[in-house]
Amino acid sequence: MTESEVDLTSEQYEKHREAGEILAQVREETAERVEVGVTHLEIAEYAEDRIRELGGKPAFPVNISIDEEAAHATPSIDDDSTFGEEMINLDIGVHIDGWLADTAITVDLSGNPELAEAPEQALEAAIDVIEPGVETGEIGAEIEDVIDGYGFNPVVNLTGHGLGHWEQHTSPNIPNRAVSQGTTLEVGDVVAIEPFATDGGGKVSEGASEEIFSLEREGTVRNRQARDALSQITEEFRTLPFATRWLETDRAEMALRRLKRSDIVHGYPVLKEDDGYLVSQKEHTIIVTEDGCEVTTRN
Ligand code: MN
Ligand code: MN
């Protein structure tokens, strides 16, 4: 897009801002409630209900990642896990009519304040260099430098991303390290910047569990529960991710297995570092403006 085509006061950007404002408030209120002994489910449901009360919709299930987990973990239907003295990443999203905001925060109950701080400082350094024409590789270099300076590694196979209409992940990717083959940001781009830091090697891999899903393609199924689930998915979530616990049909887990087997729905396996290491995360959504950027999820 050229500058003359972008109107940052248009309805689309107002909805991005409204989503960001709700999300900033919900992130802080939710993080305050994370304590040893509180259940993951209580925290996820608190955030998702609060988003709806404030006039938004959850853009994806609240991700609650513990210790070596980095992303894609959310409570199952009758999850009774509780927080211990752990490193906890909360990743939360809001949309207004499909226009998104995406944010994350680490709540450290593990006694590793520097690891929790590294991605926060890396994100601030990244935001400082954003302006029209900035290369995504330069943003990644800022992130890598700050996290290196703390003596940790950035997670290099997770990236920030553009936010499309009803799409949580679109181009461009925003790397968490210096890369030479990037792209440039332009006025009007809406992107999520999300540094991850770890005391591990800096590469996450897929774990066994899967609680977050999204629609892969249109299709038809015969089973009643699978059909009910599919109509809720296509009407309510469209192409945005959802959790098993959001499905209103009875036998939701069976319905999802059928939708997965037909390749109508795909799952997102939990992404994690090797056992014994910790991962921290911080994320904001920004809109590139003529003289820098506007952070929509700042409180
Ligand atoms: Mn996120
Ligand atoms: Mn994101």
Side-chain angles (χ1 to χ4, degrees), residues 1 5-19 99 186-190 286-288 294 296:
M1 268 194 262
E5 289 172 298
V6 180
D7 175 6
L8 294 179
T9 66
S10 67
E11 201 184 354
Q12 147 186 4
Y13 289 104
E14 287 304 325
K15 288 178 176 175
H16 275 299
R17 290 185 185 100
E18 192 185 338
W99 302 105
E186 303 305 334
V187 174
D189 284 349
V190 182
I286 62 109
I287 301 172
V288 181
E294 178 186 334
T296 68

Side-chain angles (χ1 to χ4, degrees), residues 8 45 53 115 140 155:
L8 294 179
E45 287 182 341
E53 270 171 30
L115 183 54
V155 174

Side-chain angles (χ1 to χ4, degrees), residues 39-49 51-52 58 60-64 72-80 90-92 210-213 229 232-233 236-237 241-253 256:
T39 67
H40 297 186
L41 191 55
E42 189 179 331
I43 288 299
E45 287 182 341
Y46 173 82
E48 291 162 5
D49 289 346
I51 288 167
R52 295 185 190 100
F60 50 83
V62 172
N63 284 215
I64 300 179
H72 300 166
T74 200
S76 58
I77 289 179
D78 46 12
D79 207 308
D80 60 2
L90 302 175
D91 194 328
I92 316 175
E210 222 172 54
E211 282 297 335
I212 300 180
F213 302 88
Q232 186 190 355
I233 293 162
E236 192 178 338
F237 316 133
F242 60 90
T244 320
R245 59 190 164 76
W246 287 3
L247 296 176
E248 283 156 6
T249 182
D250 57 313
R251 307 190 67 203
E253 282 163 328
L256 260 178

Side-chain angles (χ1 to χ4, degrees), residues 60 63 90-93 101-104 161 168-169 192 194 196 281 283:
F60 50 83
N63 284 215
L90 302 175
D91 194 328
I92 316 175
D102 187 358
T103 195
H161 50 90
Q168 192 201 348
H169 291 126
E194 50 183 313
F196 290 81
Q281 178 194 14
E283 179 176 24

